[in-house]
């Protein structure tokens, strides 16, 4: 359910990806970025599943176009020069 919400709501996608300062420990414990920075431990695998389901939902919601998904992610992070786009 969280992944589907993240795929439809830009602010939820940002929280799933990098966390937020409004929720204590969300950056280190409840975000994909926190999982990557911790070395991708198994106990944080649920973050990857949530992010993957959110990404798939966002892809389907954006006409199944990878370019539209990329532009949606860019706008979700404020349309700046830098933003989180997965691990690679």
């Amino acid at each position: 359910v969280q992944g589907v919400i993240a795929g439809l709501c830009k602010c939820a996608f940002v929280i799933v990806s990098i966390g937020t300062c409004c929720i204590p420990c969300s950056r280190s414990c409840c975000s994909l970025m926190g999982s990557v920075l911790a070395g991708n431990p198994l106990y944080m695998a649920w973050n990857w599943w949530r992010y993957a389901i959110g990404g798939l939902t966002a892809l389907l919601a954006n006409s199944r176009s990878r370019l539209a998904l990329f532009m949606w992610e860019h706008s979700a992070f404020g349309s700046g020069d830098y933003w989180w786009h997965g691990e690679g």
Side-chain angles (χ1 to χ4, degrees):
V1 173
Q2 293 176 2
V4 173
I5 293 170
L8 298 174
C9 178
K10 291 179 182 180
C11 63
F13 185 78
V14 171
I15 292 171
V16 166
S17 299
I18 63 170
T20 180
C21 61
C22 298
I23 302 171
C25 298
S26 70
R27 287 196 177 169
S28 60
C29 300
C30 300
S31 70
L32 188 67
M33 182 180 73
S35 175
V36 170
L37 293 175
N40 298 324
L42 183 60
Y43 67 87
M44 295 183 85
W46 65 277
N47 288 319
W48 283 95
W49 280 105
R50 186 173 63 165
Y51 180 80
I53 292 169
L56 178 61
T57 304
L59 178 66
L60 295 174
N62 286 294
S63 305
R64 297 184 185 110
S65 167
R66 287 175 43 207
L67 177 60
L69 174 64
F70 187 77
M71 292 169 49
W72 182 84
E73 288 179 349
H74 182 244
S75 68
F77 283 93
S79 299
D81 291 336
Y82 304 101
W83 71 96
W84 180 270
H85 181 69
E87 186 179 2

